[in-house]
Amino acid sequence: MTDIAEETPEQAGGETGAAIEALYLEERRFDPPPSFREQALVTDRSLYEQAEADWVGFWEAQARELDWFEPWEKALEWELPFAKWFVGGKLNVSHNCLDRHVAAGLGSRIAYYFEGEPGDRRTITYADLLADVQRFANVLQSLGVRRGDRVGIYMPMIPELPVAMLACARIGAAHSVVFGGFSPDALRDRMNDAEARVLVTADGGWRRGSVVHLKGNVDAALTEAPCVEHVVVVRRTGDEGGGPAPMVPGRDHWWHELMAAAEPSCDAAHLDSEELLYLLYTSGTTAKPKGIMHTTGGYLTHVASTHRYVFDLHPERDVYWCAADIGWVTGHSYIVYGPLANGATSVLYEGTPDFPDKDRWWSIIERYGVTTLYCAPTAIRTFMKWGSEYPGRHDLSSLKLLGSVGEPINPEAWMWYQEHIGGGRCPVVDTWWQTETGGIMISPLPGVTTCKPGSATFALPGIGAEVVDDAGRPVERGGGYLTLTRPWPGMLRGIYGDPERYRDTYWSRFEGRYFAGDGAKVDDDGYLWLLGRVDDVMNVSGHRVSTAEVESALVDHPAVAEAAVVGARDDTTGQAVVAFVTLKSGEEKSTERGEALRGHVAARIGPIARPKAVIFTDELPKTRSGKIMRRLLKDVADGRDLGDTTTLADPAVVEEIRKLAETRATEE
Ligand code: WTA
C-alpha cells in the first residue's frame, strides 16, 4: 500500500509455515473496549442475523441508504459467474458522493484535509468538491469524452485526483487510474487495453523531497498509445526539479486553464446500476495485467456500507485517514467512494512517511485529530523498526479505531499497532479483500467482534466465505483455500475485454465458488486466518506483483536467456522479489549486471517490482517435462530445507543454486 518498503529492504523470517505454527499459539483475545462500545453503531449480532435470514434483502437495505433516481426492479440477477445488482435502478455516484450532502446542508463540511509532502495544506469542503467536479466534468465533455468512454488518470495524491474520478462518474465515463509509481510501459499498456481517449496527469508529484516527473512518463507512454487524444496536466511541481516537460500543442492542456474556462454546472447523468464505473488493472498469474471491472450501484452500496460499519463511522465528528494511494483499490474504495458516499471527513496526504522525518504520519494525526487510521502491515512493521519514539513525540489520543489491509498482519505487528499507536484503547480491524471484491469482505465489526491478533476474524454480514480443501469440500477446522460462496454487490463484473479469462481465473478451480487465490485457516473458534497467496502472485508491501510479469520483463533484456521469479519471505515487506536468472552464453555475470537487471524491471513495470536480489545460475531446476520448479526456488530463497527433488531432471542444479544463494546471503 505505501511503498516505503523500497527503501527498507533486509530481514528474514515469518514464512507461511512458521506463521501457521505461531497462529496456533496465539491465545490473546481483545473484546471491544467498553468506551468504544458505548458509542459504536453496532454492538450486537443483529446485522449478522438480518443478513443470514435474507442476504439479498440485507444488501437491498444497504442500497436504500443511497439516493436512486429510479428504483431497481430486481435486486440480484445471478447467472454464475455473472452478477447484476439492483437491475433497472438508476443513480449517479458523484451525485451520491457530493450533491446529496450539499443538498442536505452539509456543503461546508470538510471532505478532505489535504497535506502535500512539502507541507502545503488545503481544506476542501463538499461544496468545493462539487463545484470542481462539475467544472471538470464539463472539461472532459469539451474534450470529447462521452458516456461509455474510458479516461486514464495518472496522478500524485492531490485533490485533483478524486475530482477527476468523480467527474468521470458524473458523466458516465469510466476511469482507469494508474498508480503514479508505474513506468511508462505499464501506463502505455493500460491506456491501450482500455482504449482511453483522455489522460489526466500532473507535471510532477513530490516524493521524499524530490519531484517525480509524471508528465515525462506520460510523454514516453503516449508515443505508443495513439488512442489518447488529449492530456490534461495539473500544475503541481511547476519549475521545481527541472521544470515540467514541454506541452505538446493540440494534445496537452493545463488543468487550471481549462477549469477557468469551463461552465460551472453539469448535471449528474442518470446511469444504470450496472454501468461501468471504473477499470483497475491488477496482477494475476500471467504477464498481462487484468482490467478489473467495477460498476455503479452494487459497488457503491458495498463500499459505503462496509466503510460505515467496519470503521464505525460517525461522519459528523470523525476524521478518517486511509493512508493508501488512490492508485490502488484501497484508495478507490476507502479514500474516494466509501468515505464520500458517507459524507466523511478524510485526510489526503501526498508523500512518504519519513519526510521530513519519520514522524510525519503522527504529526498529521495530531494536527487534524484523526480518529481512524487505515494502513498496511508493511507500514506498521516499518514503524516498529523505526521505533516507538516517533509516535511517542505526538499526541495520538484522538485515535479511536485502527485498520489494517493488504497482507496478513502478523500478531506482533498487530500488538505493536494496538499498543503504540492505539494506546491500548482502540479496536484493530484487520480487513481482508481484493481489487476483485471491490470492498471489504472479512473483518471484525469493531463494536461486536472479539479480536485475536493476526486474524481477520469472520465474513462480514451478507458475505459468504468458506475455506475448502483441494477437492472443494468445506474445511471445518484447519487450512485450505479461501473461497466465496455467493455473489456480493461490489464484486468485479469481469475482466475488461476477456470474459473467458474471468471465468477461468476466478470460477473454475472450485465449482460454484469464487476462488480468491489465498490460503486460509479456520481455528477452533471458527476464526479465519489468512495465510497469503497460493498462486504465482507475490505480495510486496501489500502490492500485488505477478511472478510472470517480472519474468517477462527480465527475459525482455537482451542478455537474459531464462528467468524464474519467486516471492521470498521478508519481515518488513511481507514478500520480496527474488529473481533466478540464466544469462545467454557469453554474457558476463556480475554485480553490475545484476543491478542493471533490477533497474530494467523497475523501468519496465515500476519500482515496486524491482527484484531485491538477482541470482545468476547456469540452469534452472526443471521437471523432466521442462516445467520450472518454483517451489524449490522459493525454498532456496527462504533458506528452507529442500523437499522432494526426485522429480527434477537434474537434481544437481538445485544444489548448485542453493550454494549460490548462500554465498549471496553471507555477502549481504
Ligand atoms: C492480500 C488489496 C491477509 C490477499 C485490498 C489478497 C490480505 C490480496 C489482506 C489482494 C488481509 C489483502 N490479510 N491478506 N487483511 N488484505 N490481502 O487486490 O493476498 O491489491 O488476495 O487488494 O492482498 O490485493 P489487492
Side-chain angles (χ1 to χ4, degrees), residues 282 328-330 404-409 430-436 442 456 516-518 530-533 539 542-544:
T282 189
W328 307 105
V329 74
T330 306
S404 165
V405 60
E407 45 180 321
I409 180 165
D430 173 16
T431 65
W432 178 90
W433 58 295
Q434 306 178 296
T435 305
E436 291 87 340
I442 300 175
D518 283 300
L530 275 302
L531 302 176
R533 306 283 310 191
N539 191 327
H543 297 308
R544 279 164 66 168

Side-chain angles (χ1 to χ4, degrees), residues 20-218:
I20 297 176
E21 296 301 312
L23 300 182
Y24 281 119
L25 301 174
E26 185 50 68
E27 303 221 315
R28 289 169 288 203
R29 303 277 184 283
F30 292 85
D31 286 326
S35 57
F36 183 89
R37 276 196 73 165
E38 273 165 27
Q39 57 81 61
L41 294 177
V42 191
T43 53
D44 59 25
R45 299 197 44 83
S46 55
L47 278 186
Y48 291 100
E49 284 157 12
Q50 221 177 302
E52 272 333 292
D54 174 9
W55 57 272
V56 176
F58 168 81
W59 287 119
E60 284 191 280
Q62 299 307 308
R64 279 189 210 103
E65 299 284 322
L66 302 175
D67 255 13
W68 294 78
F69 299 130
E70 281 175 42
W72 57 91
E73 284 142 24
K74 203 167 168 204
L76 170 65
E77 223 173 82
W78 178 222
E79 279 173 45
L80 194 141
F82 297 100
K84 288 185 181 161
W85 281 88
F86 311 117
V87 184
K90 296 221 185 306
L91 75 165
N92 184 286
V93 167
S94 94
H95 167 89
N96 272 282
C97 290
L98 305 171
D99 307 57
R100 67 168 174 152
H101 303 315
V102 174
L106 302 175
S108 59
R109 181 180 287 172
I110 290 159
Y112 293 114
Y113 287 110
F114 168 69
E115 186 160 314
E117 198 190 71
D120 52 320
R121 291 175 205 151
R122 275 157 73 186
T123 297
I124 298 138
T125 65
Y126 275 88
D128 295 337
L129 206 52
L130 175 58
D132 282 354
V133 166
Q134 293 192 75
R135 277 186 191 272
F136 197 65
N138 286 328
V139 166
L140 289 174
Q141 284 176 331
S142 73
L143 296 175
V145 177
R146 298 285 171 261
R147 184 167 169 177
D149 287 345
R150 273 83 48 215
V151 172
I153 300 180
Y154 183 63
M155 289 172 91
M157 285 277 289
I158 53 176
E160 288 83 355
L161 170 49
V163 168
M165 294 163 76
L166 291 158
C168 290
R170 195 160 189 90
I171 61 175
H175 54 71
S176 172
V177 179
V178 178
F179 171 56
F182 275 124
S183 68
D185 286 5
L187 176 62
R188 173 200 63 203
D189 293 348
R190 286 158 176 76
M191 291 304 105
N192 283 330
D193 191 76
E195 295 171 287
R197 299 186 59 184
V198 167
L199 177 54
V200 188
T201 188
D203 49 359
W206 289 103
R207 225 189 107 73
R208 196 165 291 116
S210 304
V211 173
V212 180
H213 289 282
L214 293 170
K215 176 56 167 47
N217 288 349
V218 165

Side-chain angles (χ1 to χ4, degrees), residues 115-120 206 236 349-350 355 360:
E115 186 160 314
E117 198 190 71
D120 52 320
W206 289 103
R236 169 69 188 142
Y349 171 58
E350 178 188 26
F355 189 86
R360 182 66 182 265

